[in-house]
Amino acid sequence: MSRNSQRVLLSEEQIQRRVRELGERIGADYPGGALHLVCILKGACFFLADLARAIQRDVVVDFIGISSYGKGTTSSGEVKLTKDLDLSVEGADVLVVEDIVDSGITLHYLVQVLEQRKPRSIRIAALLDKPERRVRPVQVDYVGFQIPDRFVVGYGLDFAERYRNLRDICVLEESAAGG
Ligand code: 5GP
């Protein structure tokens, strides 16, 4: 796979500026107490690390594993919990941190799971949103960027576990996806 097959869609500077803005808004929107950040593994880890540091208030960080994609670039439609949270969210203000909302299947499922655990509130922050692809309704409260229906990698997003460490978010061209 050659690096030439990746086209920058969002630069590191654009991403960092937007994440800071989101962090400031989130910090201002919550009245008090610790904000419970629930990061969806693995793609959202990079976003979580920057967002958490941009939120000027106490935060608690926890991780949940949900898989809805295999090694391809289209959803299987299957969702499974691969790692549960370590902490209780009962009575907590929960902010789910996700890399990208595509069909909405993952977040629709996760919100249902979390609601059963009786948090005080649940909101969603997603760095990227592909609204054209939605098949399940999801209310995303904080969106970094709306993007077109293209498969993207970088800043935590992978293709078959590669490219997560790219600083920019790039469109993976067809030739690379087949390689
Ligand atoms: P959804 O359940 O909304 O269809 O999918 C959400 C998950 O699908 C994301 O957390 C991400 O893992 C994966 N996904 C959706 N679109 C893309 C994309 O363009 N690139 C990558 N790398 N993963 C994606």
Side-chain angles (χ1 to χ4, degrees):
M1 268 184 246
S2 117
R3 287 188 67 82
N4 296 337
S5 50
Q6 299 143 45
R7 181 172 54 77
V8 174
L9 181 68
L10 296 164
S11 69
E12 179 179 11
E13 290 71 26
Q14 286 175 287
I15 298 165
Q16 293 300 330
R17 196 180 319 124
R18 185 67 181 136
V19 172
R20 275 198 300 277
E21 285 171 7
L22 290 179
E24 282 166 19
R25 251 182 65 204
I26 291 165
D29 280 359
Y30 282 88
L35 181 58
H36 201 114
L37 302 179
V38 169
C39 172
I40 305 183
L41 294 171
K42 302 175 191 169
C45 284
F46 293 61
F47 178 38
L48 169 87
D50 289 335
L51 185 68
R53 289 177 291 179
I55 298 173
Q56 296 296 308
R57 62 176 313 110
D58 275 354
V59 297
V60 169
V61 171
D62 204 354
F63 298 88
I64 196 162
I66 299 175
S67 100
S68 62
Y69 270 27
K71 286 189 175 178
T73 58
T74 54
S75 174
S76 63
E78 280 175 40
V79 187
K80 64 177 180 193
L81 204 65
T82 55
K83 184 213 169 290
D84 205 346
L85 295 172
D86 293 329
L87 307 169
S88 165
V89 293
E90 192 172 339
D93 286 314
V94 171
L95 181 66
V96 175
V97 179
E98 173 64 307
D99 49 11
I100 184 165
V101 193
D102 186 29
S103 68
I105 291 170
T106 305
L107 281 170
H108 185 83
Y109 167 81
L110 178 60
V111 167
Q112 281 182 327
V113 169
L114 292 178
E115 269 169 357
Q116 288 167 10
R117 302 181 185 187
K118 307 205 176 348
R120 184 160 71 169
S121 66
I122 304 183
R123 288 188 192 169
I124 295 171
L127 182 65
L128 305 176
D129 183 14
K130 288 193 225 174
E132 291 168 55
R133 300 258 306 167
R134 203 72 91 253
V135 300
R136 287 284 168 85
V138 176
Q139 188 192 323
V140 186
D141 303 280
Y142 304 98
V143 179
F145 303 92
Q146 288 200 341
I147 62 165
D149 179 14
R150 302 300 305 273
F151 192 81
V152 291
V153 294
Y155 195 65
L157 288 152
D158 75 311
F159 174 69
E161 296 300 331
R162 294 187 56 191
Y163 305 108
R164 291 193 198 275
N165 58 334
L166 297 180
R167 290 174 173 272
D168 306 315
I169 290 176
C170 303
V171 173
L172 195 61
E173 304 291 359
E174 286 293 315
S175 58

